[in-house]
Amino acid sequence: HSSHINGDILVGMMKGGKAKVTRYNKTGTEIQNIQRDNKGQVLYRTPHYITENINGDVCVSDWGNAVVVVDKSGQHRFSYTGQGSEFGPYGICTDVLGHILVCDVMSKTVHLLDQDGQFLSLLLTPQQGVKYPCSVCVDDENNLWVGQYGTNTVTVYKYLQ
């Protein structure tokens, strides 16, 4: 992820069963490693997609596990594990209001969370014609762009008025 706040690059990494998110500045110097919470517990299993919220929080879709959010100093704020028994967070983005939008490949929906991790709604469901949402982004006009796995399609939705 390329930070819109300061131009830093955030990279999710795994090696030897250990996972972390590393922040690099514009010159490529490593400036932060985010790996454990303040109790020493591992934060990530398989970090896939990363975004940064308007408040500086780093939001990570940890595949097959949770959406893990830390503040700008790397302190764990919350983890969101979905609304049902299986949750497969994949593509993730945030919007101008600080909402977190994440694709759930298990339920084939897009979850809308507030910036504190509270579930607000399912934005898109299979009943609305979304079959395999795997990537999301929001443009400057608050359109939600959803890429679907295996279909070669990108669909655009208006979700903020």
PDB file of all heavy atoms in Angstrom, residues 95-120:
ATOM      1  N   ASP A  95     -12.895   4.779   2.981  1.00  0.00           N
ATOM      2  CA  ASP A  95     -13.495   5.892   2.246  1.00  0.00           C
ATOM      3  C   ASP A  95     -13.280   7.213   2.983  1.00  0.00           C
ATOM      4  O   ASP A  95     -12.618   7.259   4.021  1.00  0.00           O
ATOM      5  CB  ASP A  95     -14.977   5.629   1.947  1.00  0.00           C
ATOM      6  CG  ASP A  95     -15.859   5.597   3.185  1.00  0.00           C
ATOM      7  OD1 ASP A  95     -15.431   6.066   4.272  1.00  0.00           O
ATOM      8  OD2 ASP A  95     -16.998   5.116   3.081  1.00  0.00           O
ATOM      9  N   VAL A  96     -13.860   8.276   2.454  1.00  0.00           N
ATOM     10  CA  VAL A  96     -13.655   9.624   3.001  1.00  0.00           C
ATOM     11  C   VAL A  96     -14.245   9.793   4.403  1.00  0.00           C
ATOM     12  O   VAL A  96     -13.866  10.720   5.123  1.00  0.00           O
ATOM     13  CB  VAL A  96     -14.235  10.717   2.067  1.00  0.00           C
ATOM     14  CG1 VAL A  96     -13.486  10.745   0.756  1.00  0.00           C
ATOM     15  CG2 VAL A  96     -15.716  10.533   1.846  1.00  0.00           C
ATOM     16  N   LEU A  97     -15.153   8.924   4.800  1.00  0.00           N
ATOM     17  CA  LEU A  97     -15.749   8.991   6.133  1.00  0.00           C
ATOM     18  C   LEU A  97     -15.023   8.109   7.139  1.00  0.00           C
ATOM     19  O   LEU A  97     -15.410   8.053   8.305  1.00  0.00           O
ATOM     20  CB  LEU A  97     -17.228   8.591   6.066  1.00  0.00           C
ATOM     21  CG  LEU A  97     -18.105   9.465   5.164  1.00  0.00           C
ATOM     22  CD1 LEU A  97     -19.522   8.910   5.108  1.00  0.00           C
ATOM     23  CD2 LEU A  97     -18.105  10.901   5.655  1.00  0.00           C
ATOM     24  N   GLY A  98     -14.003   7.391   6.679  1.00  0.00           N
ATOM     25  CA  GLY A  98     -13.280   6.493   7.570  1.00  0.00           C
ATOM     26  C   GLY A  98     -13.857   5.098   7.636  1.00  0.00           C
ATOM     27  O   GLY A  98     -13.381   4.275   8.423  1.00  0.00           O
ATOM     28  N   HIS A  99     -14.875   4.815   6.837  1.00  0.00           N
ATOM     29  CA  HIS A  99     -15.417   3.456   6.793  1.00  0.00           C
ATOM     30  C   HIS A  99     -14.358   2.508   6.252  1.00  0.00           C
ATOM     31  O   HIS A  99     -13.536   2.891   5.419  1.00  0.00           O
ATOM     32  CB  HIS A  99     -16.635   3.370   5.867  1.00  0.00           C
ATOM     33  CG  HIS A  99     -17.806   4.152   6.322  1.00  0.00           C
ATOM     34  ND1 HIS A  99     -18.481   5.014   5.493  1.00  0.00           N
ATOM     35  CD2 HIS A  99     -18.441   4.202   7.513  1.00  0.00           C
ATOM     36  CE1 HIS A  99     -19.478   5.562   6.152  1.00  0.00           C
ATOM     37  NE2 HIS A  99     -19.461   5.098   7.388  1.00  0.00           N
ATOM     38  N   ILE A 100     -14.428   1.268   6.686  1.00  0.00           N
ATOM     39  CA  ILE A 100     -13.569   0.207   6.167  1.00  0.00           C
ATOM     40  C   ILE A 100     -14.464  -0.715   5.349  1.00  0.00           C
ATOM     41  O   ILE A 100     -15.507  -1.167   5.836  1.00  0.00           O
ATOM     42  CB  ILE A 100     -12.893  -0.570   7.314  1.00  0.00           C
ATOM     43  CG1 ILE A 100     -12.065   0.387   8.175  1.00  0.00           C
ATOM     44  CG2 ILE A 100     -12.059  -1.716   6.769  1.00  0.00           C
ATOM     45  CD1 ILE A 100     -11.639  -0.194   9.515  1.00  0.00           C
ATOM     46  N   LEU A 101     -14.070  -0.974   4.115  1.00  0.00           N
ATOM     47  CA  LEU A 101     -14.819  -1.862   3.232  1.00  0.00           C
ATOM     48  C   LEU A 101     -13.942  -3.054   2.928  1.00  0.00           C
ATOM     49  O   LEU A 101     -12.775  -2.886   2.540  1.00  0.00           O
ATOM     50  CB  LEU A 101     -15.189  -1.145   1.935  1.00  0.00           C
ATOM     51  CG  LEU A 101     -16.076   0.086   2.116  1.00  0.00           C
ATOM     52  CD1 LEU A 101     -15.224   1.336   2.193  1.00  0.00           C
ATOM     53  CD2 LEU A 101     -17.057   0.187   0.996  1.00  0.00           C
ATOM     54  N   VAL A 102     -14.468  -4.251   3.136  1.00  0.00           N
ATOM     55  CA  VAL A 102     -13.651  -5.449   2.939  1.00  0.00           C
ATOM     56  C   VAL A 102     -14.461  -6.535   2.243  1.00  0.00           C
ATOM     57  O   VAL A 102     -15.623  -6.767   2.565  1.00  0.00           O
ATOM     58  CB  VAL A 102     -13.068  -5.959   4.278  1.00  0.00           C
ATOM     59  CG1 VAL A 102     -14.166  -6.357   5.255  1.00  0.00           C
ATOM     60  CG2 VAL A 102     -12.096  -7.096   4.055  1.00  0.00           C
ATOM     61  N   CYS A 103     -13.834  -7.171   1.261  1.00  0.00           N
ATOM     62  CA  CYS A 103     -14.447  -8.306   0.577  1.00  0.00           C
ATOM     63  C   CYS A 103     -14.344  -9.528   1.470  1.00  0.00           C
ATOM     64  O   CYS A 103     -13.297  -9.794   2.054  1.00  0.00           O
ATOM     65  CB  CYS A 103     -13.706  -8.616  -0.726  1.00  0.00           C
ATOM     66  SG  CYS A 103     -13.806  -7.331  -1.956  1.00  0.00           S
ATOM     67  N   ASP A 104     -15.432 -10.275   1.553  1.00  0.00           N
ATOM     68  CA  ASP A 104     -15.435 -11.549   2.262  1.00  0.00           C
ATOM     69  C   ASP A 104     -15.677 -12.624   1.209  1.00  0.00           C
ATOM     70  O   ASP A 104     -16.795 -12.770   0.711  1.00  0.00           O
ATOM     71  CB  ASP A 104     -16.526 -11.568   3.326  1.00  0.00           C
ATOM     72  CG  ASP A 104     -16.652 -12.891   4.050  1.00  0.00           C
ATOM     73  OD1 ASP A 104     -15.810 -13.796   3.820  1.00  0.00           O
ATOM     74  OD2 ASP A 104     -17.590 -13.045   4.846  1.00  0.00           O
ATOM     75  N   VAL A 105     -14.627 -13.364   0.867  1.00  0.00           N
ATOM     76  CA  VAL A 105     -14.769 -14.359  -0.191  1.00  0.00           C
ATOM     77  C   VAL A 105     -15.536 -15.591   0.269  1.00  0.00           C
ATOM     78  O   VAL A 105     -15.997 -16.374  -0.561  1.00  0.00           O
ATOM     79  CB  VAL A 105     -13.397 -14.757  -0.788  1.00  0.00           C
ATOM     80  CG1 VAL A 105     -12.734 -13.566  -1.449  1.00  0.00           C
ATOM     81  CG2 VAL A 105     -12.483 -15.360   0.252  1.00  0.00           C
ATOM     82  N   MET A 106     -15.712 -15.768   1.566  1.00  0.00           N
ATOM     83  CA  MET A 106     -16.486 -16.908   2.070  1.00  0.00           C
ATOM     84  C   MET A 106     -17.989 -16.676   1.879  1.00  0.00           C
ATOM     85  O   MET A 106     -18.693 -17.524   1.366  1.00  0.00           O
ATOM     86  CB  MET A 106     -16.184 -17.184   3.536  1.00  0.00           C
ATOM     87  CG  MET A 106     -14.759 -17.559   3.783  1.00  0.00           C
ATOM     88  SD  MET A 106     -14.300 -19.050   2.905  1.00  0.00           S
ATOM     89  CE  MET A 106     -12.922 -19.561   3.858  1.00  0.00           C
ATOM     90  N   SER A 107     -18.477 -15.507   2.315  1.00  0.00           N
ATOM     91  CA  SER A 107     -19.907 -15.213   2.182  1.00  0.00           C
ATOM     92  C   SER A 107     -20.226 -14.515   0.860  1.00  0.00           C
ATOM     93  O   SER A 107     -21.380 -14.249   0.567  1.00  0.00           O
ATOM     94  CB  SER A 107     -20.392 -14.358   3.351  1.00  0.00           C
ATOM     95  OG  SER A 107     -19.783 -13.081   3.306  1.00  0.00           O
ATOM     96  N   LYS A 108     -19.161 -14.186   0.092  1.00  0.00           N
ATOM     97  CA  LYS A 108     -19.315 -13.535  -1.214  1.00  0.00           C
ATOM     98  C   LYS A 108     -20.038 -12.196  -1.093  1.00  0.00           C
ATOM     99  O   LYS A 108     -20.956 -11.890  -1.837  1.00  0.00           O
ATOM    100  CB  LYS A 108     -20.018 -14.461  -2.200  1.00  0.00           C
ATOM    101  CG  LYS A 108     -19.259 -15.750  -2.403  1.00  0.00           C
ATOM    102  CD  LYS A 108     -19.991 -16.709  -3.292  1.00  0.00           C
ATOM    103  CE  LYS A 108     -19.159 -17.967  -3.427  1.00  0.00           C
ATOM    104  NZ  LYS A 108     -19.893 -19.106  -3.843  1.00  0.00           N
ATOM    105  N   THR A 109     -19.599 -11.406  -0.095  1.00  0.00           N
ATOM    106  CA  THR A 109     -20.206 -10.109   0.178  1.00  0.00           C
ATOM    107  C   THR A 109     -19.106  -9.079   0.419  1.00  0.00           C
ATOM    108  O   THR A 109     -17.926  -9.419   0.528  1.00  0.00           O
ATOM    109  CB  THR A 109     -21.102 -10.163   1.429  1.00  0.00           C
ATOM    110  OG1 THR A 109     -20.311 -10.577   2.545  1.00  0.00           O
ATOM    111  CG2 THR A 109     -22.266 -11.122   1.250  1.00  0.00           C
ATOM    112  N   VAL A 110     -19.520  -7.813   0.541  1.00  0.00           N
ATOM    113  CA  VAL A 110     -18.614  -6.738   0.968  1.00  0.00           C
ATOM    114  C   VAL A 110     -19.156  -6.195   2.283  1.00  0.00           C
ATOM    115  O   VAL A 110     -20.322  -5.801   2.358  1.00  0.00           O
ATOM    116  CB  VAL A 110     -18.521  -5.619  -0.092  1.00  0.00           C
ATOM    117  CG1 VAL A 110     -17.667  -4.468   0.420  1.00  0.00           C
ATOM    118  CG2 VAL A 110     -17.953  -6.164  -1.401  1.00  0.00           C
ATOM    119  N   HIS A 111     -18.326  -6.218   3.311  1.00  0.00           N
ATOM    120  CA  HIS A 111     -18.718  -5.730   4.636  1.00  0.00           C
ATOM    121  C   HIS A 111     -18.345  -4.259   4.752  1.00  0.00           C
ATOM    122  O   HIS A 111     -17.266  -3.855   4.323  1.00  0.00           O
ATOM    123  CB  HIS A 111     -17.987  -6.500   5.732  1.00  0.00           C
ATOM    124  CG  HIS A 111     -18.341  -7.943   5.809  1.00  0.00           C
ATOM    125  ND1 HIS A 111     -18.708  -8.540   6.988  1.00  0.00           N
ATOM    126  CD2 HIS A 111     -18.386  -8.925   4.871  1.00  0.00           C
ATOM    127  CE1 HIS A 111     -18.960  -9.823   6.775  1.00  0.00           C
ATOM    128  NE2 HIS A 111     -18.760 -10.072   5.488  1.00  0.00           N
ATOM    129  N   LEU A 112     -19.229  -3.481   5.369  1.00  0.00           N
ATOM    130  CA  LEU A 112     -18.985  -2.074   5.658  1.00  0.00           C
ATOM    131  C   LEU A 112     -18.844  -1.933   7.166  1.00  0.00           C
ATOM    132  O   LEU A 112     -19.767  -2.286   7.915  1.00  0.00           O
ATOM    133  CB  LEU A 112     -20.136  -1.205   5.143  1.00  0.00           C
ATOM    134  CG  LEU A 112     -20.050   0.289   5.435  1.00  0.00           C
ATOM    135  CD1 LEU A 112     -18.882   0.915   4.676  1.00  0.00           C
ATOM    136  CD2 LEU A 112     -21.344   0.980   5.069  1.00  0.00           C
ATOM    137  N   LEU A 113     -17.688  -1.424   7.619  1.00  0.00           N
ATOM    138  CA  LEU A 113     -17.415  -1.223   9.039  1.00  0.00           C
ATOM    139  C   LEU A 113     -17.164   0.255   9.285  1.00  0.00           C
ATOM    140  O   LEU A 113     -16.714   0.970   8.386  1.00  0.00           O
ATOM    141  CB  LEU A 113     -16.145  -1.979   9.467  1.00  0.00           C
ATOM    142  CG  LEU A 113     -15.990  -3.422   9.027  1.00  0.00           C
ATOM    143  CD1 LEU A 113     -14.633  -3.954   9.454  1.00  0.00           C
ATOM    144  CD2 LEU A 113     -17.110  -4.276   9.587  1.00  0.00           C
ATOM    145  N   ASP A 114     -17.410   0.705  10.513  1.00  0.00           N
ATOM    146  CA  ASP A 114     -16.991   2.063  10.837  1.00  0.00           C
ATOM    147  C   ASP A 114     -15.510   2.028  11.205  1.00  0.00           C
ATOM    148  O   ASP A 114     -14.900   0.957  11.242  1.00  0.00           O
ATOM    149  CB  ASP A 114     -17.875   2.688  11.918  1.00  0.00           C
ATOM    150  CG  ASP A 114     -17.693   2.103  13.309  1.00  0.00           C
ATOM    151  OD1 ASP A 114     -16.707   1.374  13.560  1.00  0.00           O
ATOM    152  OD2 ASP A 114     -18.539   2.390  14.170  1.00  0.00           O
ATOM    153  N   GLN A 115     -14.910   3.181  11.472  1.00  0.00           N
ATOM    154  CA  GLN A 115     -13.469   3.221  11.702  1.00  0.00           C
ATOM    155  C   GLN A 115     -13.052   2.595  13.021  1.00  0.00           C
ATOM    156  O   GLN A 115     -11.864   2.404  13.270  1.00  0.00           O
ATOM    157  CB  GLN A 115     -12.927   4.632  11.574  1.00  0.00           C
ATOM    158  CG  GLN A 115     -13.360   5.597  12.616  1.00  0.00           C
ATOM    159  CD  GLN A 115     -12.790   6.990  12.358  1.00  0.00           C
ATOM    160  OE1 GLN A 115     -12.130   7.237  11.361  1.00  0.00           O
ATOM    161  NE2 GLN A 115     -13.062   7.891  13.267  1.00  0.00           N
ATOM    162  N   ASP A 116     -14.033   2.217  13.856  1.00  0.00           N
ATOM    163  CA  ASP A 116     -13.745   1.529  15.108  1.00  0.00           C
ATOM    164  C   ASP A 116     -14.060   0.035  15.045  1.00  0.00           C
ATOM    165  O   ASP A 116     -14.075  -0.646  16.065  1.00  0.00           O
ATOM    166  CB  ASP A 116     -14.506   2.180  16.255  1.00  0.00           C
ATOM    167  CG  ASP A 116     -14.050   3.611  16.483  1.00  0.00           C
ATOM    168  OD1 ASP A 116     -12.824   3.844  16.464  1.00  0.00           O
ATOM    169  OD2 ASP A 116     -14.915   4.493  16.646  1.00  0.00           O
ATOM    170  N   GLY A 117     -14.342  -0.457  13.831  1.00  0.00           N
ATOM    171  CA  GLY A 117     -14.549  -1.889  13.641  1.00  0.00           C
ATOM    172  C   GLY A 117     -15.956  -2.385  13.875  1.00  0.00           C
ATOM    173  O   GLY A 117     -16.190  -3.591  13.882  1.00  0.00           O
ATOM    174  N   GLN A 118     -16.898  -1.478  14.070  1.00  0.00           N
ATOM    175  CA  GLN A 118     -18.281  -1.894  14.259  1.00  0.00           C
ATOM    176  C   GLN A 118     -18.922  -2.200  12.911  1.00  0.00           C
ATOM    177  O   GLN A 118     -18.838  -1.400  11.990  1.00  0.00           O
ATOM    178  CB  GLN A 118     -19.082  -0.812  14.983  1.00  0.00           C
ATOM    179  CG  GLN A 118     -18.600  -0.549  16.388  1.00  0.00           C
ATOM    180  CD  GLN A 118     -18.648  -1.788  17.255  1.00  0.00           C
ATOM    181  OE1 GLN A 118     -19.674  -2.446  17.362  1.00  0.00           O
ATOM    182  NE2 GLN A 118     -17.524  -2.127  17.866  1.00  0.00           N
ATOM    183  N   PHE A 119     -19.560  -3.344  12.802  1.00  0.00           N
ATOM    184  CA  PHE A 119     -20.238  -3.742  11.579  1.00  0.00           C
ATOM    185  C   PHE A 119     -21.409  -2.814  11.320  1.00  0.00           C
ATOM    186  O   PHE A 119     -22.233  -2.584  12.205  1.00  0.00           O
ATOM    187  CB  PHE A 119     -20.735  -5.185  11.700  1.00  0.00           C
ATOM    188  CG  PHE A 119     -21.571  -5.641  10.550  1.00  0.00           C
ATOM    189  CD1 PHE A 119     -20.977  -6.002   9.352  1.00  0.00           C
ATOM    190  CD2 PHE A 119     -22.960  -5.711  10.663  1.00  0.00           C
ATOM    191  CE1 PHE A 119     -21.753  -6.426   8.283  1.00  0.00           C
ATOM    192  CE2 PHE A 119     -23.736  -6.125   9.601  1.00  0.00           C
ATOM    193  CZ  PHE A 119     -23.130  -6.490   8.409  1.00  0.00           C
ATOM    194  N   LEU A 120     -21.487  -2.265  10.107  1.00  0.00           N
ATOM    195  CA  LEU A 120     -22.601  -1.394   9.728  1.00  0.00           C
ATOM    196  C   LEU A 120     -23.573  -2.105   8.807  1.00  0.00           C
ATOM    197  O   LEU A 120     -24.774  -2.056   9.030  1.00  0.00           O
ATOM    198  CB  LEU A 120     -22.077  -0.115   9.070  1.00  0.00           C
ATOM    199  CG  LEU A 120     -21.184   0.759   9.942  1.00  0.00           C
ATOM    200  CD1 LEU A 120     -20.642   1.934   9.150  1.00  0.00           C
ATOM    201  CD2 LEU A 120     -21.942   1.231  11.181  1.00  0.00           C
TER     202      LEU A 120
END
